[in-house]
Amino acid sequence: MLALRLISVVLEGVKYCRNGGRFMNRSGWLVNLLFIAGIFAAFLVSATYRKRDEDVLWSRFVGKTGRDIAYDLAHVDDGIVIVGWTSSRKIPSDQNVMMVKLSKSGKLLWNKELGSTGTEGANCVERTQDGGFIVAAISSSNDGEISAQFGGQDVWLLKYDAHGNLQWKSCYGTQAYESALDLLEDDGYVFVGYTTKAGNEDVWAVKVDEDGNIVWERSFGSSGWDSAIGVDRATDGYYIVGLTKPAENGSTDMWVLKVSKSGDLVWQKRLGGTDWDQASDVLTTDDGGCLVLGTSWSKEMSLFGKADFVLIKLDANGEIEFQKAYGGAQDDIAQKIIKVEDGYLLVGTTWSDTVHGVEKQGGSDYLVLKIDENGEPMWVKCLGALLDDVAYAVFSDGESYYLAGVSYSRSFALRSRSHGEGDALVLRVRLK
């Protein structure tokens, strides 16, 4: 319809001039022709995006004038809570906690920013059984509402009710640097990340009760650099995944740890090749084992390009049942795995021109792969605009799935526009 209207406007203009209307001068015609050409170009781009993103139910940029990144999101009863980092205050280098709530239709309900003179940011959020949510954030400030109370950088848990009212907050750390990168609820809360209290970075896992009091705290490490990135409940404990880089071994491997309910190590397993490999998420399976999702730059594991998504199925004892790779010719960086009714969604970012026959749309795109129970691909989607779009988080409500990350594109399908140097981009996509 838009094309027909534009053609009609142009024809009416030509008819008017031929019938004795006032003619424009040459520069006026040039300006108008350029304007019309621009409209046609916009229409063609819009049509292309509509065709490529026909399953996108809505898109929303969240941010101000600086850079805003969404690292996690959670589904609450009346909407979606997104958390991340923002540098939208007057000092561009000042990083603060970003917390945003959207309605299920993508309408902005509220936007909170926490921080002071140092660096703050939120890496994870989890819906809680009481209908509220809990956020894990880091802080290196020596003042403000979430200052570092123990060392150079500490972790804060902030518990909110369903309406975004703070119920309690608590700080955790040592005299060194700590960070939290994943979080879950389980008779209280468990968060994982890293600590430098022993010198190098070690895996750090902490369990607290429902009021934020520490139940147990554990660290696991090699002689080098180690970090936890993901955690999930096991039938008899917890699976923790991340990376390990022992000082005596130059390669970085995926690291999977199973710990008991009391935080004691049950078993550990290194997975990787001769180059960089890291695990980013873990999902417990019905048989008591787990699916480990990560990214590999090792030629033994990366079968399609420079870096691929890698999915490894382990049984309850840590033995490999199958291993799969997914990707294109360039870098494909995995972030999250979730269960859906008839399979799983793997989410991350692609820099490859095509991934399993599906074309990328911009510099980098949100990459979504649906796989079956055996890890075989069912479909692939690349979602993005003209510049870089980087995905970090996903969840599904059964009928659709929501993606969040950061976009450096100025617009998405001409339906929403960014606000600054990079915005959090939230998409709701039909689950097919």
Side-chain angles (χ1 to χ4, degrees):
M1 291 299 295
L2 176 59
L4 292 175
R5 289 175 185 171
L6 289 174
I7 293 169
S8 176
V9 168
V10 173
L11 291 177
E12 286 298 321
V14 172
K15 182 200 268 186
Y16 173 74
C17 292
R18 285 180 176 173
N19 290 338
R22 187 175 63 184
F23 283 86
M24 302 179 197
N25 59 34
R26 184 175 299 176
S27 61
W29 267 108
L30 179 60
V31 169
N32 279 272
L33 285 172
L34 290 174
F35 174 74
I36 293 169
I39 293 176
F40 270 116
F43 168 75
L44 292 174
V45 171
S46 178
T48 300
Y49 279 125
R50 285 199 303 273
K51 181 179 178 181
R52 290 177 173 177
D53 298 333
E54 58 188 6
D55 293 323
V56 177
L57 300 174
W58 54 257
S59 59
R60 174 88 193 203
F61 282 106
V62 177
K64 299 179 182 176
T65 57
R67 186 173 64 168
D68 307 274
I69 303 175
Y71 282 119
D72 203 3
L73 74 169
H75 194 200
V76 294
D77 290 340
D78 59 343
I80 309 141
V81 175
I82 300 107
V83 302
W85 296 48
T86 180
S87 58
S88 57
R89 285 185 174 173
K90 292 182 179 179
I91 305 173
S93 60
D94 183 27
Q95 302 285 328
N96 296 304
V97 171
M98 176 184 71
M99 287 189 290
V100 175
K101 187 173 182 181
L102 302 179
S103 71
K104 293 180 181 179
S105 61
K107 179 182 177 181
L108 180 65
L109 300 178
W110 49 253
N111 190 340
K112 301 178 186 291
E113 187 173 339
L114 299 176
S116 188
T117 55
T119 295
E120 285 82 28
N123 294 324
C124 33
V125 60
E126 181 84 357
R127 176 196 170 104
T128 53
Q129 292 182 355
D130 60 4
F133 58 95
I134 188 165
V135 177
I138 61 95
S139 174
S140 65
S141 291
N142 55 18
D143 58 355
E145 62 266 64
I146 52 169
S147 62
Q149 298 184 353
F150 300 102
Q153 178 175 286
D154 293 338
V155 170
W156 280 87
L157 292 184
L158 303 108
K159 174 65 176 69
Y160 294 87
D161 67 16
H163 304 291
N165 301 310
L166 182 67
Q167 295 179 301
W168 57 261
K169 62 181 179 179
S170 189
C171 186
Y172 310 90
T174 68
Q175 75 284 356
Y177 282 78
E178 279 79 29
S179 186
L181 298 175
D182 202 9
L183 170 71
L184 60 81
E185 183 180 22
D186 186 54
D187 296 324
Y189 308 98
V190 176
F191 64 88
V192 300
Y194 66 80
T195 178
T196 62
K197 64 182 180 181
N200 295 323
E201 288 184 6
D202 288 335
V203 167
W204 190 45
V206 181
K207 183 169 186 177
V208 304
D209 63 22
E210 60 183 9
D211 298 314
N213 303 304
I214 292 178
V215 177
W216 51 257
E217 176 185 357
R218 301 285 187 272
S219 58
F220 309 95
S222 65
S223 57
W225 171 40
D226 313 281
S227 179
I229 302 175
V231 62
D232 198 16
R233 305 169 194 83
T235 54
D236 52 353
Y238 306 97
Y239 289 115
I240 300 171
V241 300
L243 58 88
T244 181
K245 190 179 188 302
E248 66 275 7
N249 186 338
S251 66
T252 301
D253 289 338
M254 301 180 187
W255 201 17
V256 184
L257 303 96
K258 186 175 183 179
V259 302
S260 67
K261 286 285 187 179
S262 58
D264 299 319
L265 184 65
V266 177
W267 54 256
Q268 59 176 305
K269 192 171 189 70
R270 289 179 60 181
L271 304 165
T274 54
D275 211 320
W276 188 289
D277 308 286
Q278 66 181 45
S280 55
D281 202 11
V282 60
L283 186 65
T284 300
T285 51
D286 293 339
D287 60 4
C290 65
L291 288 166
V292 178
L293 177 67
T295 306
S296 176
W297 281 263
S298 295
K299 61 183 180 181
E300 302 93 331
M301 302 178 74
S302 178
L303 304 180
F304 297 97
K306 294 181 179 179
D308 287 342
F309 285 24
V310 172
L311 183 71
I312 302 173
K313 172 67 170 70
L314 301 179
D315 67 18
N317 298 313
E319 298 302 318
I320 297 176
E321 295 187 345
F322 68 74
Q323 178 175 312
K324 303 286 185 179
Y326 316 91
Q330 300 301 317
D331 287 336
D332 303 289
I333 311 300
Q335 295 290 348
K336 293 292 182 180
I337 176 173
I338 61 170
K339 182 78 172 71
V340 291
E341 183 178 1
D342 56 345
Y344 303 91
L345 295 186
L346 313 182
V347 170
T349 305
T350 182
W351 278 264
S352 299
D353 291 334
T354 59
V355 179
H356 300 286
V358 177
E359 292 185 1
K360 173 173 63 73
Q361 300 183 33
S364 65
D365 280 359
Y366 289 10
L367 176 61
V368 185
L369 297 98
K370 185 176 182 182
I371 60 171
D372 64 19
E373 297 285 345
N374 299 313
E376 297 303 319
M378 300 173 70
W379 51 256
V380 177
K381 282 195 76 71
C382 296
L383 299 165
L386 296 178
L387 301 180
D388 284 337
D389 304 286
V390 181
Y392 291 106
V394 62
F395 77 80
S396 174
D397 60 10
E399 297 179 353
S400 59
Y401 58 95
Y402 299 77
L403 301 168
V406 61
S407 174
Y408 297 94
S409 300
R410 298 300 299 175
S411 64
F412 183 86
L414 301 182
R415 291 177 290 194
S416 51
R417 293 188 61 79
S418 66
H419 306 87
E421 299 172 0
D423 277 4
L425 175 62
V426 186
L427 306 177
R428 185 181 182 187
V429 188
R430 185 178 292 107
L431 183 59
K432 57 178 185 176

